[in-house]
C-alpha cells in the first residue's frame, strides 16, 4: 500500500451476497473478451485487473495530513456521506473519496480543459488541444487562484488536492482505473499530481457548455450566404410574451424600470432597452505477442473524441434545464418544495457526483452541513441543500459572448482607423507517441483570442458575415475573435462555498453575487417558508449600435462592451404573491427591463407547461406533494403536437398505408410515452416538415455532415435545370445541425401557419412518387408520406410494432475510449440502449436533434425534489451511478430507475444516513 494510505482493516466494497453476483459477471466478462479480443487479450483482462481499481469502502485507512478521523458512509447505491470535525479535513476527504470513484474522469477533464488531451491519447487530439489552448481556460483559472479567490477558498482547494494526491500516492495506472490499463499498451502516460487550478478549470468547461447565444451568432452569420434578412428573421421569431410568461413577474426589476422611465434615460451603461426582444435581429504485458496484438487492437485510442463541443457538452437551441419552487401555502407539507433537473449531454459516468459533506459539529472551525450534486474534481456542493436552505439552477441564457470580425493586416488588426498589434504567445502541445507541436495564439489588445486561427466554421463566418458598406475590404475573409466573460478571472469558486453554508435569503443572495460565470437562474427555498429567485452573473452592457445577436465589427470601438450590469440592478423575486417560481430557460424579464440580457431566450415551451401543471394542481384549493413534483418532471406532453395534429388529421391522404399511419394520431393525447406508436409517427412527421420546409434550404454549414442535396449553382442565371445544379453536402455534426426541432422551431412553424402560401412551404418533388408542394397543406401531406416510409424502413411495415422508444434511445458512452476506441473496449465500457419517453422541449426533456435523427443527445442529467418540511423526505437520482469503474456495482445502477422516472431516498440527518448506510470507511490521521 502507498505510504500515505495504509489499510488496517476492512474489505473491498459491497456485501457478501453481492460479491458472488459480481464475480459471476466478471467471469462472463473474461470469457467474452477472450472470444472477442483473443485468448491473450482475455487473459490480460482478468478478474484481478478489473477489480484492481475498485475502492476500499469498509474498515479504515490512514490518510496523512488529516487533523482528526473522518467517517465515510456509503448507502446501497455507493453514494458517500462524509463526516469530519474541520473544514480542511472535510474537503481533503472529499478529494480522496471522489478520486476513489472517479479519478480517470477527473484526469481526462483536466487534460481537456488545459488543452492536453494529446498527452493521453495521441495525435488525434491535437486540433482539440489547439482550440482549447487558444481559449486558455487553465491560464484564466490560474489567474483566478492567484488574484481573485479568498484565502479560505484556496485552503479548501489545497486540502481537496491533498486528498486526491493521497489517493494517487504509490498507485500504478491499473490500480486507479481500467482505462489506464488499456492506455498502457500504446502510451507510457502516468497521472500527475492534482492541483487547485485543475479544480477551477472545470468551471470554465461548464461555462462553455452554458455560454449563451454564441452558436446562434454563428448560425445567423452563415445563413446570410443563402437567406435574406427577412428569411433569417422568420427563423428567429420574437419571444411570445403574451403566451409564455417570464421568470420574474413581481420582482425588483420593476422598480429599476420605473426609475429609468421617470428619469427619461436608457441604460446607465449605454445599453439598449430591448431585453429579451426579438430573437434574431440581425502490469502489464504477459508476452511480446500479446503486446503486439493489443497494440494493434488499441490503435483507436489515438482517435478518442470527435470535437470540442461534444467533448464538453452539446450546446444548442432547446437544451436547458427545469427548476421550480412552490411555496408552503400550496404544498401538502406547508413548507416549500423545490425541483431541479439540469439538461446536459449524456455522459458515462454522469457529469454529476452525489455526496454529503457534514461537520460533526457546525462551528467556526467546521462550517458545513450540506448535501447534493457536485462535479468530480471539484470541492463543495454545486446544487442541493443544507440544514436551512435549498437551491437549484438552470441556464439563464444571457448573452455573455460576442464574436468580433477583425480585419487582419500584417501583425495586427484594424481598430478605429489605425492598426493595433496582436499580443502573442507560443503554446507547445506534447503528443503521446509523436512529436510535439507548437502553435502561436493571437489575442487582441483587450484579450480576445482569434478563434478563426483554429476553427474552420469561424473561418466561414469571416468569409460570409454581413457588414456595412463602410467595412474594410474583406479580402479572403475576416478573422473572428471571441469576447467572453469566462475569459476574465472570476469568483465562482468562492460562490460555491458561500452557497453551501448560507442560512437565509440574505446569505444566499450574497453568495449568488459571487457566481459570475456561468450566469445561472438560481431558485431558492428555506425551512422558514420563503421562496425566491435571483439572476447573478457578470453580464455585459453594450452600446446602442450592438445587440449581440450577430458578429460585430471589431474595427469600430463603438461595438465594444461598455461595462457590466451592477449586481443590485439584476432581476430577482422574493416570496411572490402567486406562490411559486418557474425557471426553464425562458425569458427572465419582459421588455420593460432597461438592459439587454440576450436576444436569444429559450421560447418558454417547457416553462409554460410547468406553470400550467402547477396551476392545475392548486386551483380550487389543491395542494402539491413531493410525488406531484416528480410527476411534473416526467411530463411528456408535446406542445408542437397539440398545434399540428388537428391540422394533420384534416389532410386528405389517398395512400392506404399512409392513411393507416395517420389514424394513429386520432385520439392521441399528445403524450410521448416510449411505447407510443403515435408519438413515433408524429415525431417523424415533425422531422420531415422541418427538413422539407427549412433544412433543405439552409446553407451546407448548418446541415448534417454527409447529407447531400442538389442545389442551384450560385453563378447560374438561366432556368433551373440539371445543368445549373451542383451536389452540396452538409458539414455539421448530426447532434448540432439545424433545424434541430427545439422550441424556436415550434415558434417558427406557429407563425408560418398563418401564411399557408409562404415560400417556406414550397418544396420540389422527391424520389419515387413523392409529390412537390406549393403550400402548407401540400408540404404537410408530403411530410406524412415521407414519415410513413421512413418509419417503415426503420421499424417495419406493421405499425402495430412501432413505438417511440424504438427510435428514441439513449446510449451511454465512456467519453474517451468508449467513443472512438476499439470495439472490444467500447463493449467493456459502454452501456445501453434505454428506450426513453419524452422529447424535445417537453418537461421530460430527453432531447433529440430533428436534423440528425431520433437518438437521445441530451437529457435531464439528474433529478431532485427537496422537501423543506422534512429534508429526509427529499428525493434524488443521477443519470448513471456514483462510480466511474466499469464493472462496479455502482457504474450505472441508477440509470434504469432514472429512465423509469423513479427517485431514490435522499438521507440527510444523522439518523437517516445511519439507517441507509451499507459500507463505512474511517480515514485516520
Amino acid at each position: 500500500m502507498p505510504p500515505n494510505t495504509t489499510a488496517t482493516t476492512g474489505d473491498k466494497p459491497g456485501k457478501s451476497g453481492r460479491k458472488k453476483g459480481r464475480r459471476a459477471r466478471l467471469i462472463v466478462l473474461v470469457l467474452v473478451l477472450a472470444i472477442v479480443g483473443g485468448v491473450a487479450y482475455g487473459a490480460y483482462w482478468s478478474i484481478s485487473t478489473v477489480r484492481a481499481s475498485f475502492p476500499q469502502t469498509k474498515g479504515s485507512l490512514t490518510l496523512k495530513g488529516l487533523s482528526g478521523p473522518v467517517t465515510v458512509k456509503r448507502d446501497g447505491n455507493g453514494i458517500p456521506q462524509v463526516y469530519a470535525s474541520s473544514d480542511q479535513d472535510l474537503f481533503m476527504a472529499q478529494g480522496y473519496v471522489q478520486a476513489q470513484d472517479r479519478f480517470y474522469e477527473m484526469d481526462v477533464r483536466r487534460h481537456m480543459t488545459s488543452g492536453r488531451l494529446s498527452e493521453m491519447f495521441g495525435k488525434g487530439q491535437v486540433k482539440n488541444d489547439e482550440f482549447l489552448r487558444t481559449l486558455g481556460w487553465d491560464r484564466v483559472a490560474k489567474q483566478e487562484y492567484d488574484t481573485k479567490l479568498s484565502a479560505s477558498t484556496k485552503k479548501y482547494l489545497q486540502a481537496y488536492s491533498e486528498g486526491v494526491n493521497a489517493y494517487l500516492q504509490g498507485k500504478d495506472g491499473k490500480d486507479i482505473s481500467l482505462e489506464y490499463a488499456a492506455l498502457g499498451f500504446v502510451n507510457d502516460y502516468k497521472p500527475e499530481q492534482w492541483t487547485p487550478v485543475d479544480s477551477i478549470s472545470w468551471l470554465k468547461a461548464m461555462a462553455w457548455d452554458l455560454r449563451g447565444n454564441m452558436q446562434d451568432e454563428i448560425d445567423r452569420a452563415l445563413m446570410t450566404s443563402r437567406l435574406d434578412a427577412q428569411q433569417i428573421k422568420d427563423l428567429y421569431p420574437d419571444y411570445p410574451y403574451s403566451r409564455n410568461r417570464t421568470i420574474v413577474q413581481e420582482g425588483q426589476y420593476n422598480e429599476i424600470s420605473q426609475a429609468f422611465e421617470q428619469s427619461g434615460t436608457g441604460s446607465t451603461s449605454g445599453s439598449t432597452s430591448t431585453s429579451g426582444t426579438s430573437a434574431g435581429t440581425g502490469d502489464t504485458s504477459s508476452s511480446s505477442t500479446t503486446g503486439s496484438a493489443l497494440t494493434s487492437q488499441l490503435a483507436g485510442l489515438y482517435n478518442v473524441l470527435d470535437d470540442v463541443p461534444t467533448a464538453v457538452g452539446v450546446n444548442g437551441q432547446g437544451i436547458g434545464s427545469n427548476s421550480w419552487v412552490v411555496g408552503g401555502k400550496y404544498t401538502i407539507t406547508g413548507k416549500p418544495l423545490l425541483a431541479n433537473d439540469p439538461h446536459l449531454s449524456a455522459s458515462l459516468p454522469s457529469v454529476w457526483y452525489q455526496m454529503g459533506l457534514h461537520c460533526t459539529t457546525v462551528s467556526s472551525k467546521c462550517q458545513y452541513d450540506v448535501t447534493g450534486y457536485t462535479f468530480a474534481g471539484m470541492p463543495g456542493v454545486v446544487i442541493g441543500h443544507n440544514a436551512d436552505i435549498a437551491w437549484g439552477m438552470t441556464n439563464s441564457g444571457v448573452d455573455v459572448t460576442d464574436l468580433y470580425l477583425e480585419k487582419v493586416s500584417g501583425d495586427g488588426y484594424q481598430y478605429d482607423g489605425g492598426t493595433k498589434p496582436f499580443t502573442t504567445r507560443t503554446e507547445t502541445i506534447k503528443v503521446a507517441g509523436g512529436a510535439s507541436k507548437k502553435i502561436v495564439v493571437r489575442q487582441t489588445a483587450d484579450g480576445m483570442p482569434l478563434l478563426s486561427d483554429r476553427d474552420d466554421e469561424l473561418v466561414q463566418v469571416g468569409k460570409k458575415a454581413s457588414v456595412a458598406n463602410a467595412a474594410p475590404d474583406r479580402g479572403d475573409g475576416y478573422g473572428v475573435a471571441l469576447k467572453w466573460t469566462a475569459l476574465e478571472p472570476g469568483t465562482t469558486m468562492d460562490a460555491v462555498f458561500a452557497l453551501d453554508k448560507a442560512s437565509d435569503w440574505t446569505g444566499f443572495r450574497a453568495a449568488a453575487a459571487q457566481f459570475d460565470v456561468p450566469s445561472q437562474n438560481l431558485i431558492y427555498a428555506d425551512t422558514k417558508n420563503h421562496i425566491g429567485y435571483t439572476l447573478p452573473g457578470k453580464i455585459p452592457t453594450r452600446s446602442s449600435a450592438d445587440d449581440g445577436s450577430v458578429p460585430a465589427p471589431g474595427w469600430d470601438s463603438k461595438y465594444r462592451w461598455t461595462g457590466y450590469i451592477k449586481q443590485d440592478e439584476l432581476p430577482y423575486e422574493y416570496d411572490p404573491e402567486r406562490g411559486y417560481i418557474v425557471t426553464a430557460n425562458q425569458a427572465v424579464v419582459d421588455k420593460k427591463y432597461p438592459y439587454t440580457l440576450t436576444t436569444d431566450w429559450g421560447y418558454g415551451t417547457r416553462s409554460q407547461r410547468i406553470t400550467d401543471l402547477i396551476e392545475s394542481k392548486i386551483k380550487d384549493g389543491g395542494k402539491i406533494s413531493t410525488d406531484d413534483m416528480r410527476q411534473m418532471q416526467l411530463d411528456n406532453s408535446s406542445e408542437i403536437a397539440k398545434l399540428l395534429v388537428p391540422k394533420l388529421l384534416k389532410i386528405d391522404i389517398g395512400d392506404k398505408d399512409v392513411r393507416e399511419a395517420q389514424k394513429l394520431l386520432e385520439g392521441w393525447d399528445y403524450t410521448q410515452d416510449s411505447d407510443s406508436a403515435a408519438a413515433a409517427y408524429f415525431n417523424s412527421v415533425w422531422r420531415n416538415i422541418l427538413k422539407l420546409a427549412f433544412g433543405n434550404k439552409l446553407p451546407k454549414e448548418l446541415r448534417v455532415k454527409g447529407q447531400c442535396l442538389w442545389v442551384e449553382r450560385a453563378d447560374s442565371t438561366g432556368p433551373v435545370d440539371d445543368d445549373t445544379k451542383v451536389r452540396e453536402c452538409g458539414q455539421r455534426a448530426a447532434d448540432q445541425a439545424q433545424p434541430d426541432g427545439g422550441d424556436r422551431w415550434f415558434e417558427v412553424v406557429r407563425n408560418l401557419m398563418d401564411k399557408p402560401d409562404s415560400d417556406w412551404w414550397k418544396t420540389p418533388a422527391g424520389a419515387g412518387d413523392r409529390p412537390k408542394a406549393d403550400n402548407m397543406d401540400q408540404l404537410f401531406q408530403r411530410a406524412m408520406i415521407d414519415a410513413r416510409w421512413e418509419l417503415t424502413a426503420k421499424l417495419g411495415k406493421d405499425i402495430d410494432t412501432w413505438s417511440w422508444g424504438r427510435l428514441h434511445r439513449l446510449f451511454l458512452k465512456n467519453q474517451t475510449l468508449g467513443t472512438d476506441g476499439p470495439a472490444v473496449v467500447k463493449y467493456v465500457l459502454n452501456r445501453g440502449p434505454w428506450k426513453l419517453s419524452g422529447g424535445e422541449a417537453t418537461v421530460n426533456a430527453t432531447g433529440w436533434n430533428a436534423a440528425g435523427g431520433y437518438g437521445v443527445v441530451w437529457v435531464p442529467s439528474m433529478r431532485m425534489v427537496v422537501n423543506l418540511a422534512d429534508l429526509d423526505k427529499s428525493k434524488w437520482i443521477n443519470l448513471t451511478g456514483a462510480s466511474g469503474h466499469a464493472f462496479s456495482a455502482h457504474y450505472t445502477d441508477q440509470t434504469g430507475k432514472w429512465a423509469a422516472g423513479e427517485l431514490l431516498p435522499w438521507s440527510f440527518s444523522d439518523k437517516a444516513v445511519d439507517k441507509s448506510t451499507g459500507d463505512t470507511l474511517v480515514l485516520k490521521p
Side-chain angles (χ1 to χ4, degrees):
M1 296 297 292
N4 279 9
T5 55
T6 305
T8 54
T9 61
D11 302 317
K12 287 293 183 179
K15 300 183 178 182
S16 58
R18 196 184 303 151
K19 291 180 181 177
K20 293 180 180 178
R22 185 181 300 152
R23 180 172 291 272
R25 289 195 301 272
L26 293 170
I27 291 172
V28 170
L29 165 66
V30 172
L31 291 173
V32 169
L33 289 172
I35 295 169
V36 177
V39 174
Y41 202 118
Y44 177 75
W45 294 97
S46 63
I47 293 172
S48 61
T49 302
V50 171
R51 299 193 64 179
S53 59
F54 286 8
Q56 179 178 336
T57 59
K58 299 173 70 174
S60 63
L61 290 169
T62 297
L63 198 60
K64 188 180 291 185
L66 291 175
S67 63
V70 177
T71 304
V72 182
K73 302 178 181 180
R74 293 179 182 259
D75 67 11
N77 292 99
I79 300 169
Q81 303 284 340
V82 181
Y83 293 83
S85 56
S86 75
D87 290 337
Q88 279 94 330
D89 285 357
L90 191 64
F91 295 117
M92 184 177 182
Q94 184 181 17
Y96 185 87
V97 170
Q98 286 192 348
Q100 281 187 304
D101 285 336
R102 299 274 195 98
F103 183 76
Y104 177 76
E105 174 197 6
M106 294 162 57
D107 199 15
V108 170
R109 283 181 177 177
R110 66 168 166 174
H111 278 78
M112 181 179 65
T113 57
S114 60
R116 297 170 56 209
L117 283 170
S118 300
E119 295 178 21
M120 294 185 76
F121 303 115
K123 62 183 179 181
Q125 298 312 303
V126 169
K127 284 196 173 294
N128 284 344
D129 286 346
E130 289 178 1
F131 186 86
L132 289 162
R133 293 287 183 96
T134 301
L135 284 172
W137 292 344
D138 62 329
R139 296 170 61 88
V140 181
K142 188 176 188 306
Q143 291 173 20
E144 287 185 8
Y145 184 79
D146 290 342
T147 66
K148 286 287 187 179
L149 299 181
S150 68
S152 61
T153 293
K154 291 182 179 181
K155 286 181 182 179
Y156 301 157
L157 286 164
Q158 290 163 355
Y160 181 90
S161 297
E162 290 169 7
V164 176
N165 294 329
Y167 168 76
L168 294 176
Q169 185 71 31
K171 287 184 170 66
D172 292 328
K174 66 181 176 61
D175 300 321
I176 299 171
S177 187
L178 189 63
E179 290 91 335
Y180 290 118
L183 278 174
F185 287 101
V186 293
N187 190 346
D188 60 356
Y189 172 80
K190 296 291 188 292
E192 301 171 349
Q193 296 281 288
W194 192 264
T195 73
V197 172
D198 294 333
S199 296
I200 301 167
S201 294
W202 185 243
L203 290 171
K204 301 300 174 186
M206 294 310 299
W208 179 260
D209 194 29
L210 304 168
R211 63 193 178 272
N213 76 334
M214 177 176 156
Q215 193 62 55
D216 288 312
E217 283 191 52
I218 291 171
D219 289 356
R220 279 189 286 260
L222 295 174
M223 284 179 184
T224 59
S225 67
R226 181 159 294 176
L227 305 177
D228 62 33
Q230 181 57 49
Q231 289 172 321
I232 294 173
K233 183 172 175 56
D234 288 344
L235 302 187
Y236 288 87
D238 294 349
Y239 185 89
Y241 289 102
S242 62
R243 189 172 67 253
N244 296 342
R245 300 179 206 168
T246 59
I247 296 173
V248 176
Q249 300 168 39
E250 309 167 32
Q252 175 66 23
Y253 83 93
N254 284 324
E255 297 176 22
I256 299 171
S257 300
Q258 290 166 8
F260 275 82
E261 290 169 1
Q262 291 167 4
S263 66
T265 63
S267 164
T268 53
S269 301
S271 171
T272 61
S273 56
T274 56
S275 169
T277 55
S278 66
T281 48
D283 164 353
T284 52
S285 62
S286 57
S287 72
S288 60
T289 303
T290 301
S292 175
L294 288 173
T295 299
S296 175
Q297 291 172 16
L298 293 173
L301 296 181
Y302 287 135
N303 298 288
V304 267
L305 302 173
D306 290 324
D307 54 32
V308 171
T310 301
V312 182
V314 177
N315 183 288
Q317 263 294 334
I319 193 168
S321 305
N322 301 321
S323 189
W324 66 95
V325 59
V326 180
K329 69 179 179 180
Y330 291 131
T331 68
I332 289 174
T333 66
K335 292 287 181 70
L337 295 170
L338 184 151
N340 195 189
D341 56 289
H343 308 155
L344 297 168
S345 55
S347 60
L348 181 61
S350 166
V351 67
W352 298 108
Y353 185 91
Q354 300 154 282
M355 73 186 313
L357 300 171
H358 310 276
C359 291
T360 50
T361 301
V362 177
S363 66
S364 59
K365 179 184 177 183
C366 197
Q367 306 170 74
Y368 296 88
D369 186 18
V370 62
T371 181
Y373 298 84
T374 189
F375 304 125
M378 201 181 90
V381 167
V382 177
I383 296 174
H385 72 82
N386 58 33
D388 302 299
I389 73 167
W391 66 95
M393 297 183 189
T394 63
N395 191 21
S396 69
V398 300
D399 187 359
V400 296
T401 62
D402 273 339
L403 296 172
Y404 285 88
L405 303 174
E406 304 290 353
K407 178 58 181 176
V408 180
S409 53
D411 293 328
Y413 58 97
Q414 291 187 19
Y415 190 77
D416 281 354
T419 301
K420 283 194 171 187
F422 287 108
T423 61
T424 63
R425 69 177 187 271
T426 300
E427 297 276 350
T428 301
I429 299 170
K430 297 179 181 179
V431 182
S436 297
K437 181 177 182 180
K438 293 183 182 293
I439 63 168
V440 175
V441 176
R442 298 190 286 180
Q443 290 186 179
T444 64
D446 50 351
M448 296 192 297
L450 200 65
L451 295 191
S452 53
D453 284 353
R454 310 285 173 249
D455 188 298
D456 292 340
E457 186 171 68
L458 289 177
V459 170
Q460 293 304 311
V461 169
K463 290 180 178 180
K464 298 184 176 183
S466 297
V467 291
N469 292 333
D473 179 67
R474 189 189 300 267
D476 294 331
Y478 300 120
V480 181
L482 172 67
K483 181 73 171 177
W484 179 32
T485 55
L487 296 182
E488 302 171 11
T491 57
T492 298
M493 199 69 243
D494 282 340
V496 171
F497 294 113
L499 282 172
D500 287 354
K501 62 183 180 183
S503 60
D504 56 21
W505 173 248
T506 301
F508 171 78
R509 284 265 290 164
Q514 300 178 78
F515 205 104
D516 50 10
V517 176
S519 177
Q520 297 287 281
N521 297 311
L522 268 64
I523 61 166
Y524 167 92
D526 64 34
T527 56
K528 295 181 179 178
N529 214 3
H530 300 292
I531 64 173
Y533 161 86
T534 193
L535 175 68
K538 186 183 288 184
I539 302 172
T541 56
R542 298 171 174 86
S543 73
S544 58
D546 180 25
D547 67 359
S549 66
V550 293
W555 47 83
D556 190 337
S557 61
K558 73 181 180 183
Y559 290 91
R560 287 302 200 257
W561 292 355
T562 58
Y564 296 99
I565 302 174
K566 296 176 181 178
Q567 287 294 313
D568 60 4
E569 294 181 347
L570 288 170
Y572 72 88
E573 278 191 334
Y574 184 61
D575 287 340
E577 183 63 30
R578 66 185 180 279
Y580 62 86
I581 302 170
V582 176
T583 86
N585 318 113
Q586 78 272 38
V588 173
V589 289
D590 63 21
K591 298 178 183 179
K592 296 178 182 178
Y593 187 69
Y595 298 100
T596 298
L597 295 179
T598 188
T599 59
D600 292 292
W601 301 116
Y603 281 77
T605 302
R606 282 179 287 110
S607 62
Q608 193 57 44
R609 176 60 178 171
I610 294 165
T611 297
D612 292 344
L613 290 170
I614 291 171
E615 292 187 344
S616 69
K617 290 294 294 186
I618 65 178
K619 70 179 180 180
D620 302 324
K623 301 287 186 179
I624 293 176
S625 68
T626 301
D627 196 59
D628 289 332
M629 301 284 275
R630 179 189 71 87
Q631 292 285 359
M632 291 178 193
Q633 289 178 325
L634 304 178
D635 183 78
N636 293 320
S637 176
S638 171
E639 299 304 299
I640 190 62
K642 293 177 184 177
L643 176 68
L644 291 182
V645 166
K647 184 69 175 175
L648 296 175
L649 289 175
K650 293 178 181 178
I651 303 295
D652 186 16
I653 299 293
D655 186 299
K656 65 179 180 62
D657 291 312
V658 181
R659 172 65 185 134
E660 181 185 28
Q662 184 186 36
K663 287 181 179 179
L664 290 171
L665 303 179
E666 297 176 358
W668 179 43
D669 64 357
Y670 315 120
T671 299
Q672 300 171 100
D673 294 330
S674 62
D675 60 359
S676 172
Y681 182 59
F682 172 77
N683 282 316
S684 183
V685 173
W686 171 237
R687 179 175 186 245
N688 280 281
I689 287 173
L690 293 171
K691 177 183 177 181
L692 293 168
F694 312 106
N696 292 349
K697 300 165 187 173
L698 295 176
K700 62 182 180 295
E701 291 88 357
L702 274 68
R703 301 201 314 269
V704 176
K705 186 175 183 179
Q707 291 185 2
C708 303
L709 299 169
W710 288 95
V711 301
E712 187 178 358
R713 284 203 324 254
D715 60 349
S716 66
T717 57
V720 177
D721 57 35
D722 290 345
D723 292 333
T724 66
K725 293 184 177 181
V726 294
R727 191 167 184 262
E728 184 184 85
C729 300
Q731 297 180 350
R732 187 169 286 182
D735 60 3
Q736 298 176 67
Q738 293 293 339
D740 59 19
D743 66 353
R744 171 164 67 87
W745 294 98
F746 291 13
E747 203 65 24
V748 169
V749 170
R750 185 189 298 274
N751 291 344
L752 287 172
M753 288 180 74
D754 293 332
K755 304 172 184 177
D757 296 316
S758 167
D759 286 346
W760 288 113
W761 299 126
K762 298 177 182 179
T763 191
D769 298 327
R770 307 292 205 276
K772 73 171 186 175
D774 290 319
N775 56 48
M776 181 179 69
D777 284 356
Q778 290 176 6
L779 185 137
F780 283 6
Q781 181 187 53
R782 166 74 179 276
M784 294 173 77
I785 294 168
D786 288 1
R788 171 46 161 147
W789 300 118
E790 180 187 14
L791 293 197
T792 297
K794 292 180 180 293
L795 303 180
K797 188 173 182 180
D798 184 359
I799 66 172
D800 290 337
T801 69
W802 291 3
S803 71
W804 177 224
R806 287 181 63 195
L807 291 171
H808 193 54
R809 299 186 298 168
L810 171 66
F811 291 84
L812 290 175
K813 297 181 179 181
N814 176 286
Q815 290 300 288
T816 56
L817 310 189
T819 304
D820 285 316
V824 67
V825 176
K826 292 181 183 178
Y827 180 87
V828 169
L829 297 177
N830 297 343
R831 300 292 183 270
W834 286 267
K835 299 176 180 179
L836 297 188
S837 302
E840 193 72 23
T842 63
V843 181
N844 184 18
T846 54
W848 55 286
N849 185 297
Y854 303 98
V856 176
V857 296
W858 49 272
V859 294
S861 54
M862 63 81 157
R863 297 188 184 101
M864 74 176 197
V865 178
V866 183
N867 182 331
L868 276 299
D870 186 345
L871 293 167
D872 287 329
K873 291 184 179 177
S874 302
K875 304 284 186 179
W876 62 351
I877 197 81
N878 205 350
L879 173 63
T880 61
S883 179
H885 299 285
F887 287 91
S888 165
H890 307 306
Y891 190 47
T892 55
D893 58 335
Q894 297 185 50
T895 310
K897 293 181 174 66
W898 172 92
E902 299 176 28
L903 297 176
L904 300 174
W906 185 357
S907 302
F908 178 67
S909 69
D910 293 349
K911 181 179 179 181
V913 170
D914 287 344
K915 186 176 180 181
S916 64
T917 295
D919 292 349
T920 300
L921 175 68
V922 178
L923 304 176
K924 297 181 177 180

